Amino acid sequence: MSAPTSAGPAGAGSTGAGPTGTGPTGTGPTGVWADVVGQEAAVAQFRRAASPEGSLAQAWLITGPPGSGRSTAARAFAATLQCETGEGCGHCHACRTVLAGTHPDVTAVATDKLSISKEEVRSLVLTAQRSPATGAHRVIIIEDADRMSAGTFNVLLKSIEEPPPHTVWMLCAPSAEDLAPTIRSRCRVVTLAIPRPSDVAELLVRRDGADPDLAERAALAAQGHIGLALRYATQPGALEAREESARTLLGLRSSGQAVLAAGTLVERANAEAAATADDVAAKEKERFLRSAGIEDGKVPPSLRSQMRQLEDDAKRRRTRLVRDVLDRYLLDAHSVLRDVLVLQLDTGAELVNPGVREEIVHAAEGGDPQVTLALLDAVQRARTRIAGNVPPLLATEALLARIAVRAG
Ligand SMILES: [Zn+2]
């Protein structure tokens, strides 16, 4: 049996895409592709390109909404290119090491910082120049290619324009528009779909051993975001907390309540972000001290600026994370109002939040679909404001106050 499921690179977000070992249970893709769920068209495209008859482009851009499995797809593609059978069998040494993040010819970078630095990209460009050590290709995966500045794109451009013969670049981003046109135009673009809840639920049961009932609720609530679904299905209380927030949202009746609720929400986002960010920051610091051979924690003057850079990075990462977490909460709120609208318009669509059906029914009966529509708009506006630089608490308070008085 294939046991090694190393955590992969730090900050990758999920529990790491482990080798699929036992193979498929359904009729879907097999081998390294088994965990790329609900992406039949994209998988066929990758497989064709990797086959001896296919034409392998040297720069790929994999796009798709957050949580749709961009980096999982990139790794599966990389594994297929290195696979000893050429199929992405999932069992050979090459397949297993690529998926575990330890293959010498596959480099993957993920960032949870606000941006990928020029220096990081320069070092990738250097790596791209080297011939593969054991495999047929040298593969470089950039998981958050949208987090590059225009200047950084330029560093990358040369290598993407004229890559060495064995090198394959794989860039991942939410959409093609997130990349500089000069880069985009040189990549073959593959667009992932939002995976169906049933596919996500099946994955959680098969790969992560989740309870089927819970997996189904989690997949529905996560609306196609695989990482989030996994969280709901495996982290005790995560789904309940979400349903509790939905109840609070629907129960708001005054601006006073709204202000309180906004405070709680932002506090929770801060706590959730801190739990992740502080852990990463501590590990980074430890690694830095160790690599500099410092044992007593006293950083010599020559290394202080590097240390400060590390701390600044950590701070930026945390800021970003708070906004990301809060954005997720607002998406949750959006899904609750969307459920209300579904009932008001009697569209027959499935509820995203079946756990709070009673409250949603109640809100739908007492409300006007026009107002619900306006509130849905207000949520999107709040998300935009927070992504811009409006203080999160201010934007959240304003939004919840409108929802409380049903003034779209
Ligand atoms: Zn293989």
Side-chain angles (χ1 to χ4, degrees):
M1 283 301 300
S2 49
T5 310
S6 95
S14 82
T15 55
T20 50
T22 51
T25 52
T27 53
T30 55
V32 296
W33 295 104
D35 290 353
V36 184
V37 294
Q39 309 294 349
E40 292 76 10
V43 170
Q45 200 177 343
F46 286 128
R47 289 186 120 163
R48 227 177 5 253
S51 72
E53 305 80 47
S55 73
L56 181 63
Q58 287 191 268
W60 293 77
L61 171 56
I62 303 170
T63 67
S68 58
R70 296 182 302 240
S71 55
T72 307
R75 276 164 213 275
F77 187 27
T80 305
L81 293 180
Q82 307 289 19
C83 176
E84 289 156 24
T85 72
E87 299 272 325
C89 66
H91 299 294
C92 72
H93 184 70
C95 278
R96 283 189 287 119
T97 49
V98 171
L99 294 186
T102 56
H103 193 290
D105 298 327
V106 177
T107 307
V109 279
T111 188
D112 39 19
K113 285 183 273 190
L114 283 166
S115 65
I116 299 177
S117 72
K118 254 186 209 175
E119 288 65 39
E120 281 173 281
V121 173
R122 267 197 204 107
S123 114
L124 289 178
V125 167
L126 283 179
T127 306
Q129 296 299 325
R130 300 210 308 262
S131 297
T134 63
H137 303 273
R138 178 163 292 283
V139 181
I140 316 268
I141 302 171
I142 304 184
E143 290 190 5
D144 307 283
D146 53 312
R147 296 187 199 170
M148 279 189 256
S149 67
T152 311
F153 276 129
N154 281 335
V155 175
L156 185 61
L157 186 58
K158 277 246 159 39
S159 184
I160 291 213
E161 270 177 328
E162 295 163 26
H166 298 289
T167 298
V168 179
W169 286 93
M170 298 180 191
L171 312 181
C172 306
S175 76
E177 287 66 40
D178 293 321
L179 266 67
T182 45
I183 298 273
R184 200 194 312 157
S185 64
R186 283 168 179 83
C187 293
R188 175 133 1 134
V189 181
V190 178
T191 304
L192 302 187
I194 297 176
R196 292 173 293 272
S198 55
D199 286 334
V200 175
E202 188 269 334
L203 175 72
L204 298 182
V205 173
R206 172 170 54 79
R207 185 190 66 185
D208 308 299
D211 166 74
D213 259 4
L214 182 60
E216 201 173 308
R217 265 169 67 212
L220 267 176
Q223 299 179 77
H225 192 302
I226 297 171
L228 192 54
L230 177 65
R231 228 178 95 95
Y232 287 148
T234 54
Q235 214 175 80
L239 197 54
E240 286 73 15
R242 181 193 150 110
E243 290 173 355
E244 197 46 52
S245 298
R247 274 185 207 104
T248 307
L249 185 81
L250 294 173
L252 292 177
R253 289 292 176 272
S254 72
S255 11
Q257 284 175 339
V259 170
L260 276 180
T264 311
L265 210 61
V266 173
E267 227 167 78
R268 253 180 53 209
N270 272 314
E272 195 181 321
T276 313
D278 292 353
D279 189 41
V280 176
K283 280 195 190 117
E284 266 188 350
K285 186 174 169 183
E286 197 187 296
R287 201 161 43 216
F288 172 75
L289 293 177
R290 205 173 338 114
S291 71
I294 299 166
E295 281 170 9
D296 56 1
K298 283 191 196 130
V299 181
S302 60
L303 290 177
R304 271 183 207 151
S305 80
Q306 258 177 287
M307 187 71 194
R308 210 159 351 176
Q309 177 70 43
L310 209 64
E311 286 164 0
D312 285 351
D313 278 355
K315 220 178 284 168
R316 270 200 296 274
R317 191 163 46 218
R318 190 165 158 166
T319 305
R320 181 189 172 101
L321 212 52
V322 171
R323 285 171 196 267
D324 284 355
V325 171
L326 197 57
D327 190 58
R328 209 177 67 222
Y329 293 168
L330 293 189
L331 275 176
D332 290 349
H334 193 270
S335 77
V336 172
L337 293 169
R338 172 259 180 214
D339 280 351
V340 171
L341 189 66
V342 161
L343 294 188
Q344 284 172 332
L345 299 179
D346 199 15
T347 67
E350 198 169 5
L351 291 191
V352 171
N353 305 281
V356 282
R357 174 177 290 275
E358 213 174 293
E359 290 81 353
I360 289 170
V361 169
H362 185 70
E365 284 168 355
D368 171 353
Q370 288 301 334
V371 173
T372 312
L373 264 174
L375 290 176
L376 281 164
D377 271 351
V379 176
Q380 297 296 21
R381 270 201 308 282
R383 292 181 62 208
T384 314
R385 294 180 73 203
I386 292 173
N389 265 324
V390 176
L393 183 59
L394 205 66
T396 311
E397 274 178 8
L399 172 67
L400 295 192
R402 289 180 95 142
I403 293 177
V405 299
R406 311 290 189 265

